[in-house]
């Protein structure tokens, strides 16, 4: 696995990384590890799904991560499941 710290982000990637800082502890629990360890190495498709995910409001994201609702976009729903798996694999 390539260290994300060695990859120089593009301007778009820097904007997405900044946008990922939600400030809601419950969301940061899932989003921060992904951004720090996986985002820069992700495929273009996954990075696009992550950008779409970040367009949702925090209350919606919380419902997605709690499994009470799912987004309409299948690629975003798949990414949410990945973020949850990554988070729980770490514990």
């Amino acid at each position: 696995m390539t260290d994300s710290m060695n990859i120089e982000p593009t301007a778009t990637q820097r904007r997405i990384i900044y946008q990922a800082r939600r400030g809601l502890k419950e969301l940061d629990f899932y989003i921060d590890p992904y951004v720090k360890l996986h985002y820069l190495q992700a495929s273009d498709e996954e990075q696009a799904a992550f950008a779409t995910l970040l367009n949702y409001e925090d209350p919606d994201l919380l419902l997605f991560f709690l499994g009470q609702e799912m987004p309409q976009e299948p690629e975003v729903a798949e990414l949410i499941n990945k973020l949850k798996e990554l988070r729980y694999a770490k514990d």
Side-chain angles (χ1 to χ4, degrees):
M1 179 164 84
T2 305
D3 184 1
S4 293
M5 300 306 288
N6 294 331
I7 300 172
E8 184 64 34
T10 65
T12 300
Q13 288 170 327
R14 282 194 296 273
R15 181 181 53 78
I16 296 296
I17 290 168
Y18 180 79
Q19 190 179 358
R21 299 186 326 189
R22 306 306 278 207
L24 188 60
K25 188 187 237 188
E26 293 85 350
L27 293 177
D28 290 340
F29 176 80
Y30 295 104
I31 294 173
D32 283 354
Y34 176 78
V35 169
K36 290 176 182 167
L37 301 173
H38 300 280
Y39 172 70
L40 291 177
Q41 299 159 223
S43 67
D44 291 344
E45 294 80 13
E46 187 171 296
Q47 287 188 17
F50 188 66
T52 301
L53 171 89
L54 295 178
N55 287 326
Y56 282 96
E57 298 293 327
D58 288 355
D60 294 325
L61 289 175
L62 197 53
L63 291 174
F64 298 159
F65 282 108
L66 293 174
Q68 296 176 357
E69 290 186 18
M70 279 311 237
Q72 293 182 350
E73 304 90 348
E75 63 278 6
V76 175
E78 185 178 318
L79 181 59
I80 287 170
N81 288 331
K82 178 177 181 173
L83 269 64
K84 289 165 63 173
E85 289 172 12
L86 290 171
R87 184 63 223 171
Y88 288 114
K90 191 176 174 198
D91 291 342

